[in-house]
């Protein structure tokens, strides 16, 4: 492998995909002891980080709007793979896993990631600025997607509980995909300037990384191949570790919905780190884009994928939120409207979002 191909790729991003795949081969259809279980978990986490990195390399090469789509699709493939894998092996017990994971992603992004970025960024820079047009656009689409996909099923006339009929599920999937597609068009083409980082004076202040030299075609193709290796490893390792994860949750006396929270935390960890780093560099607009954009991708792409997967999944698919979750979602929307209405953020706003996120985590383990 020539140096020109691997130039710009950290060594760990070249080693991790191969190690994760070997981890998968060595653990497939085997009973996991303590050591092997630890290796599988480490391989799964490392593969997620490597997949996101290689997706970013490919995205930087192809540019917008295709770069955003590639990155979102890569992360969503990871999320959907984990959800479908656990649903296929969990039967009726995993009927609400997709709902729990998507709702957890919304709470993590809109409260956890955003709140952490606001707190840490404000501690260093006191007051940070962002564009109201961008944040309100994302919040509007997110509210509509969650309501149509996760709230509405609770109020349908299905006699089998908070579930969509096949026609209703198809409508929700198509609507989610269309709304997300329109948002991506607005973000990357029609009103791209709304989503660019801004300085303290409100003028455009693009991140220095924006002007970094694009990778070569060979490097981008290498990253694309390694991305697929990572995704295959993630799917396989998730399948391998899923019985242990569910057993650990049940042994601890925790509700099965905690599995969905763990999946969402794992998938969104790279975005969390990126958002915090951007806030510390006084690029809060980038943090807001990452937080709300991840929420939109999680709903807008996961719901259609799950709707399609339900064709061959034999178990039920429960999407409707309960009363407790609806209250938390309503609180998240109201808090988000207040936080994002001024274009300026302080430590207090971040603390409020983290308080809501803490309530979500506490009620997840102690319903």
């Amino acid at each position: 492998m020539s140096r020109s191909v691997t130039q710009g790729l950290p060594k760990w991003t070249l080693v991790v995909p191969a190690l994760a795949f070997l981890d998968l081969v060595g653990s497939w259809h085997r009973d996991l002891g303590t050591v092997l279980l630890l290796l599988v978990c480490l391989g799964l986490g490392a593969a997620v980080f490597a997949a996101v990195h290689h997706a970013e390399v490919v995205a930087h090469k192809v540019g917008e709007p295709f770069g955003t789509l590639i990155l979102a699709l890569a992360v969503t493939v990871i999320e959907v793979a984990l959800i479908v894998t656990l649903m296929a092996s969990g039967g009726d017990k995993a009927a609400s896993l997709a709902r729990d994971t998507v709702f957890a992603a919304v709470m993590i992004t809109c409260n956890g990631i955003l709140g952490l970025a606001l707190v840490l960024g404000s501690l260093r820079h006191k007051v940070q600025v962002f564009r109201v047009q961008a944040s309100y656009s994302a919040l509007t689409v997110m509210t509509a997607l969650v309501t149509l996909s996760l709230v509405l099923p609770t109020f349908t006339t299905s006699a089998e509980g908070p579930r969509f009929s096949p026609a209703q599920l198809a409508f929700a999937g198509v609507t989610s995909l269309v709304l997300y597609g329109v948002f991506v068009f607005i973000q990357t083409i029609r009103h791209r300037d709304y989503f660019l980082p801004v300085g303290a004076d409100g003028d455009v202040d693009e991140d220095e990384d924006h002007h970094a030299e694009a990778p070569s075609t060979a490097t981008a193709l290498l990253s694309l191949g390694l991305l697929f290796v990572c995704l295959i490893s993630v799917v396989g390792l998730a399948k391998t570790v899923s019985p242990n994860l569910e057993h650990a949750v049940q042994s601890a006396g925790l509700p099965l919905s905690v599995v969905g929270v763990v999946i969402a935390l794992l998938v969104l960890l790279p975005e969390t780190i990126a958002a915090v780093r951007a806030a510390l560099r006084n690029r809060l607009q980038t943090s807001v884009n990452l937080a709300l954009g991840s929420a939109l991708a999680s709903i807008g792409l996961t719901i259609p994928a799950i709707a399609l997967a339900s064709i061959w999944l034999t178990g039920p698919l429960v999407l409707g939120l309960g009363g407790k979750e609806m209250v938390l979602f309503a609180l998240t929307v109201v808090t988000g409207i207040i936080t994002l209405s001024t274009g300026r953020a302080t430590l207090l706003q971040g603390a409020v979002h983290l308080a809501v996120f803490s309530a979500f985590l506490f009620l997840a383990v102690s319903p």
Side-chain angles (χ1 to χ4, degrees):
M1 189 179 298
S2 67
R3 177 176 174 81
S4 61
V5 174
T6 59
Q7 187 174 9
L9 294 177
K11 291 182 179 180
W12 71 269
T13 64
L14 302 174
V15 175
V16 164
L19 292 180
F21 189 77
L22 290 176
D23 197 3
L24 171 61
V25 173
S27 60
W28 188 252
H29 281 201
R30 293 183 59 181
D31 293 331
L32 301 184
T34 303
V35 176
L36 190 55
L37 177 61
L38 179 61
L39 290 176
V40 169
C41 292
L42 289 175
L44 179 59
V48 169
F49 275 94
V52 173
H53 177 86
H54 287 298
E56 289 176 339
V57 172
V58 177
H60 188 35
K61 175 62 179 178
V62 301
E64 300 297 349
F66 304 104
T68 300
L69 293 176
I70 289 174
L71 180 56
L73 286 172
V75 175
T76 303
V77 165
I78 296 173
E79 183 175 3
V80 172
L82 292 171
I83 293 173
V84 173
T85 299
L86 294 180
M87 288 183 67
S89 60
D92 292 347
K93 296 186 298 181
S96 62
L97 183 63
R99 176 200 65 190
D100 297 335
T101 304
V102 172
F103 181 68
V106 172
M107 300 302 294
I108 292 168
T109 53
C110 295
N111 291 309
I113 296 179
L114 184 60
L116 190 60
L118 289 174
V119 167
L120 296 181
S122 298
L123 287 175
R124 174 171 292 188
H125 304 286
K126 293 187 178 180
V127 178
Q128 293 185 288
V129 297
F130 55 90
R131 293 186 182 274
V132 175
Q133 300 96 322
S135 56
Y136 259 30
S137 298
L139 185 62
T140 300
V141 178
M142 187 274 294
T143 303
L145 287 177
V146 174
T147 302
L148 292 174
S149 301
L150 302 182
V151 175
L152 196 58
T154 304
F155 300 97
T156 59
T157 57
S158 173
E160 300 178 349
R163 295 162 56 182
F164 274 143
S165 68
Q168 292 169 339
L169 181 59
F171 174 80
V174 172
T175 303
S176 298
L177 194 59
V178 169
L179 281 178
Y180 181 70
V182 173
F183 174 79
V184 169
F185 173 73
I186 294 298
Q187 183 183 30
T188 59
I189 299 178
R190 179 59 63 89
H191 296 295
R192 178 176 174 269
D193 56 307
Y194 288 173
F195 298 86
L196 296 178
V198 294
D201 56 358
D203 294 332
V204 173
D205 184 19
E206 296 193 49
D207 195 339
E208 58 271 14
D209 294 338
H210 178 76
H211 300 287
E213 182 180 356
S216 65
T217 301
T219 300
L221 289 175
L222 174 61
S223 282
L224 183 62
L226 292 174
L227 172 61
F228 283 113
V229 173
C230 289
L231 295 179
I232 292 172
S233 300
V234 167
V235 175
L237 291 174
K239 174 66 175 178
T240 301
V241 79
S242 60
N244 298 80
L245 177 60
E246 293 177 358
H247 178 71
V249 169
Q250 292 174 350
S251 298
L254 301 175
L256 195 61
S257 60
V258 173
V259 176
V261 177
V262 173
I263 292 174
L265 286 170
L266 175 65
V267 171
L268 294 170
L269 186 56
E271 281 88 341
T272 303
I273 296 173
V276 169
R277 291 176 59 187
L280 292 174
R281 296 197 307 267
N282 204 20
R283 298 292 192 273
L284 185 60
Q285 183 62 60
T286 301
S287 301
V288 173
N289 292 346
L290 282 167
L292 297 182
S294 297
L296 290 175
S298 179
I299 311 168
L301 298 178
T302 300
I303 294 299
I306 294 298
L308 186 62
S310 66
I311 296 175
W312 67 81
L313 288 176
T314 56
L317 178 61
V318 176
L319 289 178
L321 295 174
K324 175 185 62 182
E325 288 77 16
M326 290 185 194
V327 171
L328 287 173
F329 174 62
L331 180 58
T332 297
V333 172
V334 172
T335 304
I337 291 173
I338 296 173
T339 298
L340 302 175
S341 62
T342 63
R344 301 174 69 85
T346 65
L347 177 64
L348 177 60
Q349 292 154 307
V352 172
H353 280 279
L354 287 182
V356 177
F357 179 61
S358 299
F360 163 71
L361 290 180
F362 176 76
L363 292 175
V365 300
S366 180

